[in-house]
Amino acid sequence: MKKTLSLIMALVMALSVCSVMAFAADSSESLIGSKFTLETGSDKSTATAFAFGETVYGKVAAGKQSCYMLSVEEAKDVTFSFKASENIDVTIEKTDSTGKTVLTGDKVYDQKLSLSAAKYYITVSNPASIDQDIGTLSLMSEINDTPAEFYFSATCDNMPDLYVNINKKEAELTTGESVQLELSDCTVENLNHYWRIYDDPTTKIDENEVASVTSDGLVTIKMTNPSFTTDTTIKVQAVIYYCNEELTKSCTVKAIPANIFLEPYFDTSEDHSLRLGVGAYRGVIATTNYEDGKLVWESENTEVATVSSSGKITATGIGRTTVLVKLCDENDTPVFSRKITVIVSDNYVSVMGITLDAHTASFRANESIALTYTFETIPDNGKAPTNSKVTFTSSNPEIATVDVDGNVTGVAEGTATITVTTEDGSYTDECTVTVTPGIPNWLMVIIAPLRALYNLILMILGK
């Protein structure tokens, strides 16, 4: 007898397990996938409104319920379609609690209801337990912890075509900047949508590291990852489910990474390091494209070099150090930084200024003069600068030109400024030149023999 009872109990348990496993396997197939789940409250006072034709995706935990609201402006026949991953209860209730319709029992509901003008609440409930019949035995499983998935829509004849726009089709933003996106000119009321950063499968970047978007469409550029060094274009989309279709409206956003611009430019490479003699200094101007960003300077070793809050770097001792300029947001959180390698040596002679031998000059067109210059240095030990390279430029080459050695040639009547700039320190000095009209060619023909005779006489006289 005991052996028979044991076999019956084993059979019951096996059937129970098989039933629950079959149910679980059926439930494991997601109805939603990557679809947007519409958030809502659990009662009428917190219900989320949805529109005719909209497909609403949702989840409901065991023993819980979700409530939605449909507003019917005029009496019409409404086809209410519902599909769920589990056996759950659906209640459609009129605002005044009359004309209640309850749909239960199957996973797929497709029913046509005649609804008068009013607000209707759709309540989706997930039973706390699952009642399974196995032959003549009735088994009650444990509470199912997996939320039930479902989607539904309410449609009627002659559904209107959906037309909707977006307030911005293009935007250009820098790290930290934001833009508010919203739908406009929508022909369907109470139409829900959600915002997403489109994950383009053709790119290697993670678009969600480039930007974020809130549920109400506020797009903010992040790009705090140092790997983002160039402008990146992404799409931000509003996604709408209407009449069994997924519709999108997109804004193309050009995301510009936060950057710090240095003038003159230095970095950590040997070719672009800052070299100084002890006591010398350099002013580095830092600017940023980060709106409301704050630039903070610091030196890793002040015994080699110090830096002021404005970017003045002063060599204090022999050695090597790194000077940083950090870009911080409004919360003083670093967003981006640049590093400058500073090398200070006792045999490096730094340029601290340059002076031309003349600051004004006047000569004829087609004539030339030579400009010379002297350096100011630290240390002032009479030695030539370690880097003595200079560049000459003319403010108006149509009046006067200048070559790499400082030879200035008049071209036409007028005034021009000749500038010399040092490579080390970018120090400058200027000379204003006035070019007067040249001697006419016909006169040069007459003067040339006389000038040649004059030079011959000087040669004979030994002068």
Side-chain angles (χ1 to χ4, degrees), residues 198-330:
Y198 176 63
D199 186 10
D200 190 343
T202 64
T203 66
K204 295 181 180 180
I205 64 171
D206 183 353
E207 282 79 5
N208 285 288
E209 287 190 2
V210 176
S212 63
V213 60
T214 61
S215 59
D216 59 354
L218 180 66
V219 181
T220 303
I221 303 302
K222 300 189 292 185
M223 297 187 84
T224 54
N225 189 326
S227 64
F228 290 111
T229 57
T230 59
D231 299 350
T232 303
T233 300
I234 63 170
K235 284 186 178 181
V236 181
Q237 295 181 325
V239 183
I240 305 161
Y241 303 121
Y242 185 74
C243 288
N244 298 319
E245 292 186 9
E246 180 179 292
L247 307 176
T248 60
K249 286 293 177 179
S250 301
C251 174
T252 301
V253 179
K254 182 180 179 181
I256 304 172
N259 206 346
I260 299 173
F261 308 98
L262 301 180
E263 181 61 38
Y265 177 77
F266 298 103
D267 60 23
T268 57
S269 66
E270 290 295 319
D271 291 340
H272 294 100
S273 60
L274 175 57
R275 297 177 182 272
L276 295 171
V278 178
Y281 54 85
R282 290 286 179 263
V284 181
I285 299 174
T287 56
T288 180
N289 60 354
Y290 188 97
E291 187 176 4
D292 299 326
K294 181 170 63 176
L295 296 173
V296 179
W297 289 87
E298 67 178 41
S299 173
E300 291 185 350
N301 188 348
T302 57
E303 293 183 357
V304 175
T306 61
V307 61
S308 70
S309 59
S310 60
K312 180 181 177 181
I313 301 172
T314 303
T316 55
I318 298 170
R320 178 190 291 252
T321 188
T322 300
V323 170
L324 295 88
V325 55
K326 296 186 293 185
L327 172 61
C328 300
D329 61 17
E330 60 275 9

